[in-house]
Amino acid sequence: MTPAEQSQHALALCQMAPVIPVLVIEDIAHALPLAQALVAGGLPVLEVTLRTDCALDAIRAMAQVEGAVVGAGTVLSPQQMEAAAQAGARFAVSPGATPALIDAARVHNMPLLPGAQTCSEVMALLEQGYTVQKFFPAESIGGASALKSIGGPLPQVTFCPTGGISVTRAPDYLSLPNVACVGGSWIAPKDAMIRGDWQAITDLARAASQLPR
């Protein structure tokens, strides 16, 4: 799968809902009900970050939920790309991009959403064929106004901004013509998962799924 083809797949995923939940799962028992709650709330595309020991097992479990499209986040190496593919991830997200990671995405036919934060990084990925990219860490590098400025000279690139975005700030990004969706962790708060309050998470997901764009 070429970078251009990967971006076509990534764009289709981004267009499924205005928000992609960014999930840190520390207890494998949370994986299945969490995925069910998010899908029930209208957010089918789920990013499980590879930051915990059970992340790959969580991807395997969540991939079994009807309607869920589960991917791996914080993919930093070819080894992680391979492990994510073997776990059933259907896309990969990275905070940046390296030649080795891009090669691994080709090898494993994995749609990659590579991260960029400067015009030079965006242009370098565009040269490779990536027309859909992650803008990270969005809030700390200028927020929606910075992304709007990047869209001026680089209108051919579409973004999924992630990093520090809240339900109140998401509309600022979603109103931009170069934003397909946002990534956010507010939809699955840790305390709700610990309590097993899956209805609360479904309610947050439903509200997020109805954000205008």
Side-chain angles (χ1 to χ4, degrees), residues 4-156:
E5 291 169 337
Q6 293 171 41
S7 281
Q8 290 176 358
H9 283 270
L11 182 60
L13 294 175
C14 290
Q15 291 173 336
M16 291 181 71
V19 180
I20 295 178
V22 179
L23 308 171
V24 179
I25 300 176
E26 298 177 346
D27 185 341
I28 189 60
H30 295 162
L32 192 62
L34 177 60
Q36 292 169 333
L38 292 167
V39 171
L43 300 182
V45 183
L46 313 176
E47 176 189 336
V48 178
T49 61
L50 300 184
R51 302 180 194 175
T52 63
D53 292 339
C54 68
L56 291 171
D57 287 333
I59 290 172
R60 291 187 185 94
M62 297 169 82
Q64 306 306 312
V65 174
E66 184 176 357
V69 182
V70 186
T74 323
V75 178
L76 306 178
S77 68
Q79 293 77 18
Q80 287 185 323
M81 183 75 74
E82 181 178 7
Q86 292 176 348
R90 293 172 59 181
F91 64 94
V93 184
S94 178
T98 66
L101 195 64
I102 290 171
D103 287 343
R106 287 193 184 99
V107 168
H108 295 289
N109 288 315
M110 181 74 77
L112 172 64
L113 189 62
Q117 59 175 245
T118 68
C119 285
S120 292
E121 291 172 351
V122 172
M123 290 167 62
L125 287 170
L126 185 59
E127 281 187 354
Q128 293 282 335
Y130 286 102
T131 56
V132 180
Q133 302 176 21
K134 174 179 178 175
F135 182 64
F136 177 84
E139 278 295 295
S140 63
I141 56 175
S145 60
L147 194 49
K148 180 180 180 180
S149 297
I150 288 176
L154 293 163
Q156 64 271 57

